[in-house]
Structures are given as C-alpha cells and as structure tokens.
Amino acid sequence: MLTTLAIQNYRSLRDLVLPLSQLTVIVGANGTGKSSLYRALRLLADAGRNGAVAALAGEGGLPSTLWAGPETISRAVREGRVPVQPLRRTTSVGLRLGYSGDEFGYALDFGLPIPSETAFNLDPEYKRECVWHCPVLRPSALLADRAGTRVRIRDESGSWIESGHSIALTDSMLSEFADPRLCPELLIVRDRVRSWRFYDHFRTDADAPARQSRIGTRTWALDHDGGDLAAALRTIQESTDAEALATAIDGAFPGSSVEVTTADGRFDLRFHQHGLLRPLSAAELSDGTLRYLLWAAALLSPRPPELLVLNEPETSLHPDLLPALAALITAAAKKTQLLVVSHSQLLVRFLEDASVLELEKDFGATVVAGQGRLDQPSWHWPKR
Ligand SMILES: Nc1ncnc2c1ncn2[C@@H]1O[C@H](COP(=O)(O)OP(=O)(O)O)[C@@H](O)[C@H]1O
Ligand SMILES: [Mg+2]
C-alpha cells in the first residue's frame, strides 16, 4: 500500500505531502489543484514506462508545468505589504514527484538541462532518481540511486556498486535500468508503478469507442478509453464477480441486466431494460447508462491493480446513480487501494471508510485544508 504522496513545483502544487489510505478522496473548489494532482500522479506512473518526458512535453513542456510563483512566500507578501516579487532562487528549480509505501519509496527530480548548442534545451532531464526502503528516505535506506547519468546500486552487504553504464538524462532509471540480479527491488517498484490504473472522463458521444462493436479478447482491465467495454464486462461475468456486476446494474437500474453477445469474435452489449420489448445495443444507450457501465467494468476488474486512480467519476452521471457508484467504489477499495478525485459532495457522502482531503489555495499554491506542517507525513526529497 502507498502511504504518502509528495509533489513539488508541479503547477499549483508547490509543496504538497499527502497521507494516503486505502480509499482517499480528494475534494476542493474549482481551481484548487485537484486535476493537477491526478496528472502529477499519472506523470509519476509514466516514469515506470519511460514516458514521463514525453508526457511533460504533451502538457506544454517543463517550463509551463513548473510552479509559476515565488520560491517562498514572505511574511510581507502574506500581509499584503509588498507584491510578489521574483527573488533570487536559493535552490535549483525542480519538478519533484515521489511516493512511499509499506515497503519501498521512489522519487524523481526533473530539471532543465544546462543550455548548449542544441534545439532541445527545454527537454526535462532526470537530475536525481531514488528507490529506498521505507518509511523515509535516509542515506542508509537507499537501494538504488541515480544522479545524472550515473546509477549506483546497494548490494546485500550494504556497499555501493557502480552500475558501470551510463543512462541518458531523459531516460528513467526505473524503466531503463531494471537488472533483476543487481537490484530486484527496482524491478518490483517498476512493475508496481506500471500496474497503477488511471481513469478519467470516458467518452460517451456517438462515436465513442465504447459504443463500437469490436473483436474481443479476455480483458482483465478496462482500457482507459473504454473501447473494450463489452469484452471487459464478459470477462467479469465469467469470473467470480459475476454476481457483483449483476447487483451493481440492478442497484442502479432496477430490473435491468446486461448480456454480452458474440458473433465471429465480435463482442456486443445487450442492455435488457424493464418495460422494453427488445434489448438496447451500446449505440442506443443513454450517456449516463453507458458511463455507469464503464465505471462498473473498471471497478469490478477481476485483476485489480496496486493503485486505482479515478478523476471525477461523477461527471455526467445523474445524481440518482451516485449511491450505486459509491457502492462500487467502496467495494473496489476492499481489494485495491483507491484514490478518487471528486467535486461531488453527494458522492463523497455515500462513500464508506474514505479519508477525505480537501484542497484549497493559499497565495496561488495548493494546500490541504487544516493540515499544518506537523500534520504532514514525514518526507525527505533527495538532494541534487
Ligand atoms: N504553472 C503553474 N503555476 C502555478 N499555478 C498554476 C500553474 N498552472 C496552473 N496553475 C493553477 O492551477 C490551477 C489548476 O488547477 P486544477 O488542477 O485544474 O483545478 P481543479 O481540478 O481543482 O479545478 C488553476 O488555479 C491555475 O491557475
Ligand atoms: Mg479539475
């Protein structure tokens, strides 16, 4: 289980350390940084597939994603006596992301390259990457340590081994340096991070992937675009969770059920609705019904990941469906760790055993409401 998530200098998340529980819900007003938190976590997961540099470019590059405020907010600024001013930085600016859990912790530190004769002076570079034994990063707890192009690994006797080959500054140690003999822990951390699953707004328009019929295979995890919905539902129906799926559908739409038909390998949904003479196909379902089925397929996955992250699952769902959605989330949290970003008070009220963190803004920076310095989980960033 992940116990702490830490983010520094990512958009409005200037310096955030969050405690995570089995079911954590992030709430807050518009613009407080909820979506940024979701994206920061996804960026962290991208490092496990060496995709973080490309993902940052897709978000407008490192300079645009970095915290745009000052390094520190002085008392004079807080009291409104002087405007915010760009002061000389005392530390190098870096976008830092990390987590710690029951066993291992991982952190990365992105910075800009030293300018040179190249067109790629805005490419983010890994300045530091560390994997350690939990609970907190201490020199003696380090297992694998990357500084620039160098990777060092701790052996069983506790002494450092230089890996011997250098790693490109834009490649992640986690994905590109996983040697099962030198450092099996690195491989474990990488595979766990790769298993994290993220679901954001599902498309339900007329051309949405979930409305098309397609060739299906056994689907343990719904695709993030929902294109394999029929195969994913059928996989659940052939698993021990068949009953849970039937209950989830009946709970949301009393008297209804879903059937998945196949012809020549193509999988199609048939939604049997109380009062209709024939079942409806995926193309005919209302947006809300289709969206609910997508969340059911995602949350009832027979092979849950280490961490499941949902961004505003209530979007475009009728309030009547929120109790059923909350029941699905509560049940999923018994099998996997969940982080849910939500702006629906109603959904949050229906969730059981959730720890709720409310985000708010303090001089442009996201903070956790009611969290003082001493309430923060302990966290140390690797130094450059
Ligand atoms: N580089 C940046 N530095 C500081 N703040 C930023 C930066 N980029 C975006 N923001 C701020 O972050 C907020 C975006 O938050 P977002 O995660 O979309 O909020 P929510 O999902 O809670 O509505 C906005 O208030 C925006 O002004
Ligand atoms: Mg948002």
Side-chain angles (χ1 to χ4, degrees):
M1 186 170 126
L2 278 67
T3 52
T4 308
L5 173 66
I7 302 161
Q8 211 174 49
N9 294 328
Y10 180 76
R11 299 185 187 275
S12 64
L13 314 178
R14 187 174 75 88
D15 191 7
L16 210 60
V17 183
L18 300 175
L20 298 182
S21 59
Q22 187 66 22
L23 171 56
T24 311
V25 185
I26 309 285
V27 298
N30 280 332
T32 49
K34 299 184 300 296
S35 300
S36 302
L37 190 119
Y38 173 85
R39 282 151 79 176
L41 195 51
R42 207 173 50 189
L43 207 54
L44 188 60
D46 285 336
R49 301 184 183 279
N50 211 16
V53 168
L56 266 177
E59 294 193 22
L62 183 60
S64 127
T65 41
L66 278 174
W67 158 244
E71 186 182 7
T72 53
I73 300 162
S74 70
R75 182 128 165 233
V77 170
R78 282 187 183 279
E79 291 169 356
R81 286 187 275 121
V82 296
V84 175
Q85 282 169 346
L87 297 170
R88 253 182 72 110
R89 297 195 62 89
T90 55
T91 58
S92 44
V93 54
L95 192 172
R96 304 191 173 91
L97 305 167
Y99 75 90
S100 63
D102 293 333
E103 284 179 279
F104 304 115
Y106 168 72
L108 63 81
D109 178 355
F110 274 129
L112 286 170
I114 297 160
S116 62
E117 281 293 311
T118 164
F120 302 104
N121 277 322
L122 293 181
D123 280 10
E125 285 181 350
Y126 285 90
K127 300 290 180 185
R128 199 77 200 271
E129 240 183 324
C130 296
V131 169
W132 63 90
H133 260 307
C134 281
V136 285
L137 174 61
R138 286 175 285 111
S140 61
L142 270 172
L143 291 166
D145 180 15
R146 179 249 182 99
T149 56
R150 259 179 64 212
V151 179
R152 299 187 300 163
I153 304 288
R154 181 104 62 188
D155 73 6
E156 273 156 25
S157 70
S159 37
W160 288 107
I161 308 173
E162 291 288 335
S163 75
H165 70 259
S166 72
I167 180 168
L169 288 167
T170 48
D171 281 341
S172 153
M173 164 181 82
L174 209 54
S175 57
E176 300 305 292
F177 190 86
D179 187 319
R181 275 164 312 164
L182 263 182
C183 190
E185 293 90 348
L186 207 54
L187 216 63
I188 296 172
V189 171
R190 182 197 71 182
D191 288 349
R192 288 198 188 152
V193 167
R194 282 187 180 175
S195 86
W196 297 357
R197 252 175 243 162
F198 294 80
Y199 291 105
D200 205 347
H201 304 267
F202 285 116
R203 272 181 59 192
T204 53
D205 56 281
D207 298 323
R211 293 195 188 274
Q212 322 301 322
S213 109
R214 57 149 112 157
I215 302 284
T217 55
R218 225 179 271 276
T219 303
W220 303 110
L222 180 72
D223 206 35
H224 64 89
D225 71 1
D228 48 7
L229 175 65
L233 288 173
R234 180 66 191 221
T235 307
I236 297 166
Q237 287 175 330
E238 292 189 17
S239 79
T240 50
D241 290 318
E243 189 72 35
L245 175 62
T247 310
I249 291 167
D250 188 62
F253 313 101
S256 300
S257 62
V258 165
E259 183 191 2
V260 179
T261 59
T262 57
D264 300 330
R266 293 183 107 63
F267 282 61
D268 281 295
L269 281 185
R270 295 276 170 266
F271 190 75
H272 296 268
Q273 206 170 327
H274 194 56
L276 293 189
L277 292 172
R278 67 166 179 86
L280 300 179
S281 71
E284 297 169 306
L285 290 179
S286 80
D287 287 0
T289 308
L290 184 62
R291 200 161 261 136
Y292 181 81
L293 292 180
L294 284 157
W295 286 116
L299 287 157
L300 288 168
S301 161
R303 286 196 192 153
E306 181 187 41
L307 177 71
L308 188 55
V309 191
L310 316 180
N311 192 29
E312 301 188 347
E314 70 276 3
T315 304
S316 309
L317 277 191
H318 191 274
D320 286 352
L321 293 176
L322 294 185
L325 178 65
L328 275 170
I329 293 174
T330 303
K334 301 224 176 346
K335 293 189 184 169
T336 183
Q337 188 172 9
L338 257 147
L339 189 131
V340 182
V341 174
S342 172
H343 61 199
S344 163
Q345 292 293 340
L346 201 58
L347 176 69
V348 177
R349 213 177 312 144
F350 288 124
L351 292 174
E352 289 165 30
D353 301 324
S355 62
V356 180
L357 299 173
E358 185 180 354
L359 301 185
E360 54 184 34
K361 281 276 189 75
D362 175 45
F363 283 87
T366 299
V367 294
V368 180
Q371 186 192 55
R373 277 264 152 211
L374 295 176
D375 306 322
Q376 276 189 7
S378 70
W379 180 265
H380 301 297
W381 289 108
K383 298 215 169 36
R384 283 213 187 147

